[in-house]
Amino acid sequence: MARWRKALMGIALAAGWLLVQPASARTFRAADNQIEGYPTVQALQFMDRLVRERTGGRHRIQVFHSRQLGEEKDTIEQTRVGAIDINRVNVTPLAHIAPLAQVLTLPFLFDSQEHLDRVLQSEIGQEILESFRPAGLVGLTFYDSGARSLYNAVRPINTPADVQGLTIRVQQSEVMDDLVRALGGKPVTLSYGQVLAALQMKLVDGAENNWPSYVSTGHSSAAPYIALTEHVRAPEIVVMAAKAWDGLSAEDRLIFRQAARQSASFMRARWIEYEREMRQLASSTAVVTEIDRKAFRDATAPVREKFLADPAMRDLARRIEAMR
């Protein structure tokens, strides 16, 4: 009898232990291709702090920066199948799996950061975030990415004619391929981590990116001529694997979504400061040129027309233009 009582007590204790354990506790793996200290990495780390605080330590986010989990194209596929839980990527390489998002990558569609902000904070932004679900992703929030401009190692660029014949590295994107061709250049698709070596070895003449990426990667030393084309303002986006999202309780989903949105505000403050710092650092080596913006917009009109032939995209672009 004593033995039975002891066994029953053990079962009861085990059951009680199970009741107090966080059965759904998890460490979520997050990918970012930027270096530690970059605003997007800092923002994901901030999101981790919020999640840990609000779940009482049940959940945490382990941030893998500096392409530790692969280049963007690789991490996107890993996130879609659930091997990576959270991913911070630029919206451009995501456009092929969420066509609605492609509107954010069209050249010269947004005339200022304020215009882009109004769009992303509107119903349009929410529609774009929701459009990733069929691809196995849940859009959580947008991060700043500034404006992308052309830079090269050959000559200053003032007009589209100055781009003629230059080999320009682009992201994996049909829009970016078409944009460079429309300007008379030759697009070359390379992963982000290969660009510096390609510039140094003269495999490409130039590339296009925002100020922080231009400077923090060393591109500004290898390709000192930067033209303020600001041709694209494609934002960063934080997505979560649908598999990971579906495994969360309704309460935890709210915590993750709110933490992501708050991390976007945190990132914005860091981004403004970081962009200013990087631009100042480049001032000693970079040769900055202003451009004939109308000439570049006119030269890239066929790119916009091609992608706006789709009625859904055309309607979305009209709504965006109405918010200027």
Side-chain angles (χ1 to χ4, degrees), residues 32-35 38 66-67 70-73 88 148 151 169-172 189-198 207-219:
D32 194 307
N33 70 345
Q34 295 290 0
I35 60 173
Y38 198 87
S66 307
R67 304 189 299 280
E71 298 286 353
E72 277 192 337
K73 63 182 179 61
R88 193 289 308 159
R148 300 176 75 93
Y151 50 88
R169 176 268 174 177
V170 296
Q171 296 168 291
Q172 186 176 10
T189 301
L190 290 174
S191 63
Y192 184 61
Q194 295 175 314
V195 182
L196 179 59
E208 52 82 49
N209 218 315
N210 56 41
W211 276 103
S213 294
Y214 175 55
V215 179
S216 67
T217 53
H219 295 183

Side-chain angles (χ1 to χ4, degrees), residues 128-288:
I128 292 172
L129 287 176
E130 292 172 357
S131 73
F132 289 96
R133 187 62 197 240
L137 302 170
V138 175
L140 295 180
T141 194
F142 294 104
Y143 282 174
D144 281 18
S145 189
R148 300 176 75 93
S149 290
L150 285 168
Y151 50 88
N152 78 97
V154 179
R155 57 178 174 262
I157 292 173
N158 298 102
T159 69
D162 296 323
V163 184
Q164 186 73 34
L166 294 179
T167 55
I168 304 294
R169 176 268 174 177
V170 296
Q171 296 168 291
Q172 186 176 10
S173 163
E174 186 180 356
V175 172
M176 294 309 302
D177 275 359
D178 289 351
L179 182 149
V180 171
R181 288 195 181 95
L183 296 174
K186 302 172 185 176
V188 177
T189 301
L190 290 174
S191 63
Y192 184 61
Q194 295 175 314
V195 182
L196 179 59
L199 287 168
Q200 292 172 332
M201 297 170 66
K202 303 188 184 306
L203 299 177
V204 297
D205 297 316
E208 52 82 49
N209 218 315
N210 56 41
W211 276 103
S213 294
Y214 175 55
V215 179
S216 67
T217 53
H219 295 183
S220 57
S221 297
Y225 300 108
I226 179 167
L228 301 183
T229 52
E230 298 186 341
H231 49 273
V232 170
R233 293 182 179 274
E236 311 291 348
I237 185 169
V238 179
V239 293
M240 191 168 189
K243 181 178 178 181
W245 177 261
D246 292 340
L248 292 172
S249 67
E251 180 183 0
D252 284 344
R253 288 177 190 173
L254 183 60
I255 288 172
F256 270 78
R257 194 175 289 282
Q258 289 179 340
R261 288 174 178 169
Q262 285 183 255
S263 77
S265 298
F266 175 93
M267 189 270 176
R268 162 65 61 86
R270 295 296 185 278
W271 176 262
I272 293 171
E273 179 183 342
Y274 194 65
E275 187 175 47
R276 185 185 305 115
E277 178 187 339
M278 291 297 104
R279 191 161 181 167
Q280 288 174 346
L281 282 174
S283 63
S284 61
T285 56
V287 179
V288 183

